[in-house]
Each structure stands twice: as structure tokens, then as C-alpha cells.
Amino acid sequence: MTLPCSSSWLHWIRACTVLGAVAAGCGGAAQAAPARGSATIPRATTAAQPALSSEARAVAHWVRRSGNNARLPFVLVDKRAAAVHVFSADGTLQASAPVLLGLARGDRSVPGIGERPMSRIAPHERTTPAGRFVSEPGRNLQGEDIVWIDYDDAVSLHRVRATNPAERRLQRLASATPADNRISYGCVNVPAAFYDRFVLPHLGHAPGVVYVLPEMQSAASFFGFDPVAAR
């Protein structure tokens, strides 16, 4: 397993023993994912590219005005809209796509959840935490490239994996509503083609910034910016 170069030996030991959620794509049984392009993964119709919500636009405007992204490429994960938006370092929107998110609603990770095996993570604990995260490229236990959002809590952004047909992950991504996009253990799942074309070039080789918008309060209050100035 290849981890970010800043990861300690202790992190390596922990990752090899308890990060089953990452190995399994943060949802479903810990089983080997088929190779990309495998006939065992069903195709799904392409969902329309989601537009930025008013709140996502406000966050993007604040990031650009304040330079909060520290001249790094950045991503907005809009949990309420179940959408992801990729921006270049200068704040130019590159592309958007639907996402799958943690099954449970909430903006905080349960303390110590990154140390637990998947079998000990209850459904109500499967949240995608909100916040500003400095992302790092890495690999999961199967050698697949991913983007770490929060390494300690085992939250990553990665290609969707349709290893469990009953979860209908591809169909959820392709549906017209965000109501059925809550299924993962907390990780952010994106369409594979979107990951390869937009996530990988911008966040897959060097650090970036991931802003996960909250769903229990406004983004302005959570991140601490003036919503009027961000219009």
C-alpha cells in the first residue's frame, strides 16, 4: 500500500489493519473491487452535470476573494445537492458531477472512527464530515489511487465502485434527485470518468483543498465568512 509521503509508520500499520472502509470503497463488504472496465460492473446512464447551488457559489466566491485555497486546486462537495465541483488553482470551475455520500446526515465524524473496522461502524455514524481539508493523493489497500480528504478519519474521494449490485451505486449517481445519494460509510464517490478526467489531474498528484459544505447549518456560519460579501 502506498500512502502519502508524510504518513508515519504508525499510520501504515493502522491502515493495513483497520482501514477496511477505505479498502472496500467506504461502503459494503470488504471485497476486492473488479478491475475498471470489468464486465461485472454495470453501465449507468450519464447524469446531467449539476449546477452550483447558491450556497456553493457563495463558498466559491469567498474562496476566490480570500485566497483561502492557498493557490491550490480546490473542490467543493455540496452535500445538500449531492454534487462535487472541481476548480483550478485560480478559481476557474472545471467541471461538476453527482456524488455519493455517507449514509447518515451530520457534519462531524465520530471520534476515533478511523480506527474501527467497518463491522463496528453503525449506520447513524456513517457521516461525511464537513470542513476545509488539505487533500493528499494516496492509494487504498487494493493499490487504487484515491484522494485523501481526512486520513485520520479514513475519509477519501474516489471512483465509485459497484461491487455490490444491491446498493445500486451507479443508478443512484445517475438518478435525477439527490435523495438517493446517501449510501457510503463517509467517503465521497464520484463517477469513474469524472475522477479520471478532472479529479486526478487537479488533486491526484499533489495537495489540494477540499471544502465539504455542511448540511446542518449554513456554509457562511460554518466557514466564517460574510454571505453578503460573498454574493
Side-chain angles (χ1 to χ4, degrees):
M1 175 181 179
T2 303
L3 296 173
C5 59
S6 60
S7 299
S8 66
W9 175 252
L10 178 61
H11 276 173
W12 187 89
I13 292 294
R14 178 165 64 83
C16 286
T17 54
V18 301
L19 285 187
V22 176
C26 301
Q31 55 184 305
R36 285 158 51 201
S38 169
T40 61
I41 298 180
R43 293 180 179 270
T45 57
T46 302
Q49 179 170 296
L52 272 77
S53 66
S54 59
E55 193 163 55
R57 286 197 302 270
V59 174
H61 186 66
W62 162 66
V63 171
R64 286 190 290 255
R65 282 174 58 90
S66 65
N68 190 271
N69 60 316
R71 300 181 179 178
L72 295 173
F74 65 96
V75 166
L76 303 185
V77 177
D78 188 342
K79 290 201 288 180
R80 289 173 178 162
V84 61
H85 311 284
V86 176
F87 295 79
S88 58
D90 66 2
T92 302
L93 176 63
Q94 301 299 301
S96 305
V99 296
L100 301 181
L101 300 162
L103 176 67
R105 298 187 182 276
D107 294 326
R108 307 291 181 187
S109 289
V110 175
I113 197 166
E115 303 285 348
R116 296 195 212 165
M118 287 172 59
S119 60
R120 292 183 55 201
I121 301 176
H124 71 274
E125 296 177 319
R126 299 172 191 176
T127 57
T128 298
R132 177 191 187 276
F133 304 93
V134 177
S135 67
E136 289 187 276
R139 292 191 179 275
N140 64 14
L141 296 179
Q142 295 162 322
E144 298 170 327
D145 55 290
I146 62 174
V147 173
W148 288 108
I149 295 176
D150 187 333
Y151 180 84
D152 289 336
D153 285 337
V155 178
S156 67
L157 187 161
H158 58 73
R159 303 174 187 88
V160 65
R161 301 185 186 97
T163 55
N164 183 352
E167 292 179 340
R168 303 180 69 253
R169 293 202 176 206
L170 297 181
Q171 291 85 350
R172 290 172 186 269
L173 278 175
S175 69
T177 171
D180 61 351
N181 289 43
R182 313 302 291 251
I183 187 67
S184 81
Y185 275 68
C187 287
V188 178
N189 294 198
V190 301
F194 179 85
Y195 183 99
D196 292 341
R197 185 173 177 183
F198 298 105
V199 175
L200 190 59
H202 288 90
L203 275 71
H205 305 291
V209 181
V210 176
Y211 299 90
V212 181
L213 279 59
E215 57 187 335
M216 309 307 289
Q217 65 184 96
S218 71
S221 63
F222 186 89
F223 291 113
F225 65 86
D226 182 354
V228 176
R231 289 177 181 172

